[in-house]
Amino acid sequence: QVQLVESGGGLVQAGGSLRLSCAASGRTFSGYNMGWFRQAPGKEREFVAAISRSGGTTLYADSVKGRFTISRDNAKFTVYLQMNSLKPEDTAVYYCAADRKYGNPVSDVYEYDYWGQGTQVTVSS
């Protein structure tokens, strides 16, 4: 089992940047594909980005492609989400998640086994 703790959220103006971090407990971090999801008030949780165990494969939602970058540092048991050119519609609680199944990273929220508590990102216009 892995425990996940997100940080780095906050309030930013449109066009600004934030970097989210997700710290994982345990030495098995490199054994998980990792993903970032977000949930806005009144909406379902949606996929943002995912990364493979080695970091060699990434996947992005169309809405963030070219603006967000997911990365990981297995030595630090941490996955990151660099968010640039933020828009008001990016406002949401952002969650990181771990998928213990083998294969390429996926976008399906139901495929992820462990979740963090989330960090709020608010983008003002």
Side-chain angles (χ1 to χ4, degrees), residues 37-88:
F37 293 79
R38 66 187 182 187
Q39 188 166 17
K43 294 188 177 181
E44 293 188 352
R45 193 168 298 189
E46 65 173 6
F47 170 74
V48 175
I51 190 166
S52 62
R53 287 164 174 76
S54 68
T57 301
T58 57
L59 184 66
Y60 294 95
D62 288 342
S63 59
V64 306
K65 204 171 292 184
R67 300 189 298 123
F68 291 10
T69 301
I70 188 171
S71 61
R72 66 190 295 165
D73 186 334
N74 286 343
K76 295 183 178 179
F77 308 135
T78 302
V79 61
Y80 304 97
L81 186 68
Q82 178 67 44
M83 306 186 294
N84 298 329
S85 302
L86 282 161
K87 304 175 181 180

Side-chain angles (χ1 to χ4, degrees), residues 6-52:
E6 302 94 336
S7 61
L11 173 64
V12 64
Q13 289 187 334
S17 298
L18 282 175
R19 188 175 83 154
L20 305 183
S21 299
C22 173
S25 65
R27 299 180 179 179
T28 59
F29 176 70
S30 61
Y32 297 90
N33 287 339
M34 299 296 296
W36 284 98
F37 293 79
R38 66 187 182 187
Q39 188 166 17
K43 294 188 177 181
E44 293 188 352
R45 193 168 298 189
E46 65 173 6
F47 170 74
V48 175
I51 190 166
S52 62

